[in-house]
Amino acid sequence: MQTKTRWNLNSIYPSLNSTELSKDIEILKNSIESFHHKLNTLTIDKIKDKEIIDLIKEYEKIIEKNRKIQAFIICLLSVESKNEEAQKIKGHLYNLSSSLKLLDLKLEKIISQTNINTPEYKYFIELSIENNKHRMKDEEEELYSLLSVSSNSEWKSLYNELISNIKVDFENQIISISQLRNYYNHSNREIRKKAYRKEIEIFKEYEYIFSRILNSVKWDSVVISKKRNFSSVLEQSLFYNQIDKEILDVVINTTFENLSMVRKYFHKKAKFLGLEKLDWFDLSAPIFEKEVETFDFEKAQKFILESFAEFSDDMCLMAKEAFENGWIDAEPRIGKADGGFCIYVFDKQSRILVNFDNSIKSVLTLAHELGHAYHNWVMSENTPLFRHSPLILAETASILAETITRKNAIKLAKNQYTKAQILDGYLYTVSIVVVDIMSRFIFEDKVINIRKERTLSPSELCSIMLDSQYEVYVDSINSYHPYMWANKPHYYSSNYYNYPYLCGLLIGLSLYNLFENKKITANDYRDILKNTAKDKPERILKSIGLDIRTKEFWQEAFNRIEKDIQEYLE
C-alpha cells in the first residue's frame, strides 16, 4: 500500500538526466522527422489501403511515445514548477509537439483524399475527414504551430507557474493557494471568512498579470477558430467534444429549469449552519462543528478498495495497483498544482494528483480521480488512437467511482450525522458542477464575445464574473467570488472546459441508474468505458437506449439529483 503521499515517477523514467529519457526523446524526434519525410514523398493516387494502415500504426507508436514523455514532465512540473531542468525539457517538447501537430494534419489530409475502408480504424478515419474540413492552409498551419510554442503554450505555463508558487501568509504559516482554499472546509466560520478575504486579496495583487494572460489566450482562440472555418469558439469546442449546439441547448435549458431545485440545497445548508443565507466561503463548510469522521491516507486507501471491490474485481485490482506502485501524489504543498487530475502514462498506468486533507470530501475526490485511472486502464486495451475519450464522456468512470464510494460510505456510516455529512459533500459537488459551472460557462461566453472586439480589464472580468454568478445563484447565497476567472486554471488551458463537466455528471448519473436498476452489468459498464473513444458520444449512448437529444434524458439525471436533495431536506 502507498503509505507515502507523494507519487513515484521512477517507474516512468529514473530521472530527468536518465539515459532512458534522453534516448526516448531522441527516438521521438527521429520518428517524427522520418514520418514527415514519408508523408511528404507519398503519391496519393497510387497509395493502397494497407500502406495507409501501416502509416496509422506507425503514427500510433509515435503518439504513445510522446504521451509517456509528456506525462513524466507534466507530473514532475505539477509538483516542482520551478524545476529548471524539467522546464528545459518541456521547451524542447514544445518544439516536438509543434512538429507532431503538423504531422497529425498531414495524415488527416492524406486520409481524407483516399477512399480507405478499414473497420479497425473506422472512427479515426471519420474524424480525420471531418477535421480536414477545418484546417487552415498548409503554410498557415505551419506558422501557427511554430508560433504557439512561444505564445499560447507559454501563457498557459506562466499561469500554472505563478499560481502554484504563490506563497500565502495565513494563520502564522506560509502556505500555498491550494492549502488556503482548504480552509473553506474549516468548521470555524471566522477562519473561513478570513481565508476568503485573503484569497481575494492575493488575486487582487495578481489581477493584472492574470488578466493579460487570459486576454492573450482567448484572443488566440478567437483568431484560430475563425481561421479554421468555425462560426465561433463555442462551435469549435462542440466540434472537438463531438456534440452539436442543438444538444448543448437542450442541456442548458434543462439545467436552468432545475436550478431552483438545486438552490434548495443552499437554503437547507444555511439552516444547518444556523445562518439565514450562505456566503461564498460557507459553500463547502462542514455542516457540523467538526468533521464527523476523518480519514488518513492509509484509511482512505482501505475504504476505497473495499468500495471498488463491491463493483468489480477489475476496478479494485486497478486501484490496488495504483496504491501499491505509487501512482498518487496527495500531499498539499507550495510549488504543487492546485486541484486534482489524472493523466494516462502508458499501458495500464496513470498518475493522479490530489490535495488530500483527511476529509470525506478528499476521499471522494481521490475515488473520482481513480475512476479516471480505471477509464484509462480499460481503454489501454484499445489501440493507442482510441485511448482518449471526448470530455463529455471522460467523467463517466469518475462519477461511477465516486458514487460507488459515497454509497458505501453512507451504508457503513455509524450514525445519521455521518450520513448527513457525506450526503452534504456529494450535494456540494453537484452544486458546483450544476450551478457554479453554469456560471463559468456564461462568463466565458461573454468574455470571448467581448474579446473579439477588444481586451478586458481586471475590473471588467470581475464584474462579468459576478453578473454570471448572480444569473445562476440568484439570491440563494449572500456573496460571490469575483476572481473565479483567476482561480480556475481551465480558462487558461482550453475553451469551454465547463459544459463537458455538466454533461459528464448527468451522463454518469444516468449510466449509474442503469447499473443500479440492473439494466446493465459491471461488465457492460466496462465495455461502455472502453468504447468511449471509439465512436461519437451520441451513438455510443444510443446503443444502450439513451438519447441525448431529448430533454427526457437529461431530466432523468436531474430527477436523481432531486431525490438526493429531498433526502437532505428531510
Side-chain angles (χ1 to χ4, degrees), residues 76-189:
L76 204 152
L77 286 172
S78 69
V79 293
E80 297 178 37
S81 59
K82 287 188 173 180
N83 187 308
E84 291 187 2
E85 188 59 35
Q87 290 286 3
K88 287 178 187 176
I89 295 173
K90 185 178 80 167
H92 184 43
L93 291 177
Y94 274 164
N95 292 329
L96 291 179
S97 295
S98 170
S99 187
L100 183 56
K101 179 60 184 171
L102 288 175
L103 190 152
D104 297 343
L105 294 165
K106 285 180 183 178
L107 184 59
E108 287 172 356
K109 186 176 180 179
I110 288 166
I111 289 171
S112 67
Q113 292 173 336
T114 65
N115 295 313
I116 181 172
N117 183 17
T118 170
E120 185 180 4
Y121 293 106
K122 181 181 177 182
Y123 186 50
F124 174 68
I125 291 165
E126 179 184 345
L127 288 180
S128 295
I129 293 169
E130 290 179 1
N131 288 340
N132 192 59
K133 295 173 184 175
H134 291 283
R135 61 179 284 124
M136 297 182 283
K137 295 175 183 175
D138 291 348
E139 60 271 22
E140 290 175 332
E141 289 288 2
E142 184 171 2
L143 180 61
Y144 174 64
S145 181
L146 292 170
L147 290 177
S148 65
V149 173
S150 61
S151 56
N152 206 350
S153 298
E154 278 301 306
W155 284 123
K156 295 170 191 174
S157 295
L158 178 60
Y159 171 83
N160 289 330
E161 190 170 333
L162 282 170
I163 203 80
S164 61
N165 283 286
I166 292 174
K167 295 180 180 179
V168 184
D169 188 351
F170 188 77
E171 295 290 287
N172 300 315
Q173 55 184 329
I174 303 300
I175 59 176
S176 67
I177 282 285
S178 177
Q179 290 170 304
L180 178 68
R181 289 193 192 120
N182 283 340
Y183 280 96
Y184 287 160
N185 303 325
H186 203 284
S187 60
N188 186 316
R189 191 166 193 257

Side-chain angles (χ1 to χ4, degrees), residues 2 5-9 12 75 78-79 297 308 318-319 322-323 326-331 336 339-345 349-355 365-374 376:
Q2 186 176 343
T5 55
R6 297 192 182 192
W7 53 24
N8 171 23
L9 300 181
I12 308 174
C75 287
S78 69
V79 293
F297 194 66
F308 284 9
M318 179 281 307
F323 289 131
W327 290 11
I328 302 160
D329 196 293
E331 178 194 353
K336 180 178 176 179
F341 67 74
C342 174
I343 188 169
Y344 169 86
V345 180
Q349 272 213 40
S350 297
R351 288 297 181 274
I352 291 167
L353 179 143
V354 291
N355 284 278
T365 299
L366 178 56
H368 181 101
E369 297 302 336
L370 281 164
H372 285 302
Y374 181 61
N376 291 339

Side-chain angles (χ1 to χ4, degrees), residues 435-443 465 468-469 472-473:
V435 183
D436 199 61
I437 276 185
M438 184 55 68
S439 75
R440 297 180 213 171
F441 172 79
I442 294 167
F443 167 82
M465 189 81 257
S468 301
Q469 289 168 344
V472 292
Y473 285 97

Side-chain angles (χ1 to χ4, degrees), residues 22-40:
S22 299
K23 184 179 178 182
D24 271 3
I25 291 173
E26 189 63 24
I27 289 171
L28 178 64
K29 176 177 175 291
N30 292 336
S31 298
I32 291 173
E33 288 176 357
S34 172
F35 202 69
H36 269 295
H37 176 73
K38 193 174 290 186
L39 295 183
N40 290 337

Side-chain angles (χ1 to χ4, degrees), residues 203-218:
F203 281 122
K204 177 71 177 172
E205 181 182 345
Y206 284 87
E207 65 177 0
Y208 279 99
I209 190 163
F210 284 143
S211 69
R212 290 291 296 274
I213 296 172
L214 188 62
N215 273 291
S216 298
V217 169
K218 294 310 171 191

Side-chain angles (χ1 to χ4, degrees), residues 548-559:
I548 63 174
R549 288 196 175 275
T550 66
K551 176 184 174 181
E552 289 74 22
F553 168 78
W554 303 103
Q555 185 59 50
E556 188 63 35
F558 276 113
N559 292 344

Side-chain angles (χ1 to χ4, degrees), residues 280-323:
W280 186 272
F281 50 82
D282 297 317
L283 289 170
S284 65
I287 54 177
F288 303 113
E289 188 62 29
K290 63 180 181 178
E291 187 79 25
V292 175
E293 185 175 3
T294 58
F295 292 76
D296 60 27
F297 194 66
E298 193 168 348
K299 182 180 176 181
Q301 293 177 75
K302 187 173 182 292
F303 184 73
I304 288 171
L305 287 173
E306 290 170 354
S307 302
F308 284 9
E310 292 191 13
F311 176 75
S312 78
D313 292 340
D314 192 47
M315 180 181 266
C316 183
L317 177 65
M318 179 281 307
K320 189 177 180 184
E321 177 126 342
F323 289 131

Side-chain angles (χ1 to χ4, degrees), residues 311 314 374-375 378-379 381-382 396 400 511 520-534 540 543-544:
F311 176 75
D314 192 47
Y374 181 61
H375 202 166
V378 297
M379 285 195 297
E381 295 167 11
N382 299 330
T396 47
L400 164 69
L511 285 174
I520 59 174
T521 65
N523 284 335
D524 293 331
Y525 219 128
R526 191 186 193 284
D527 289 341
I528 292 166
L529 295 175
K530 181 179 174 181
N531 290 326
T532 52
K534 298 177 81 171
I540 290 170
S543 70
I544 54 170

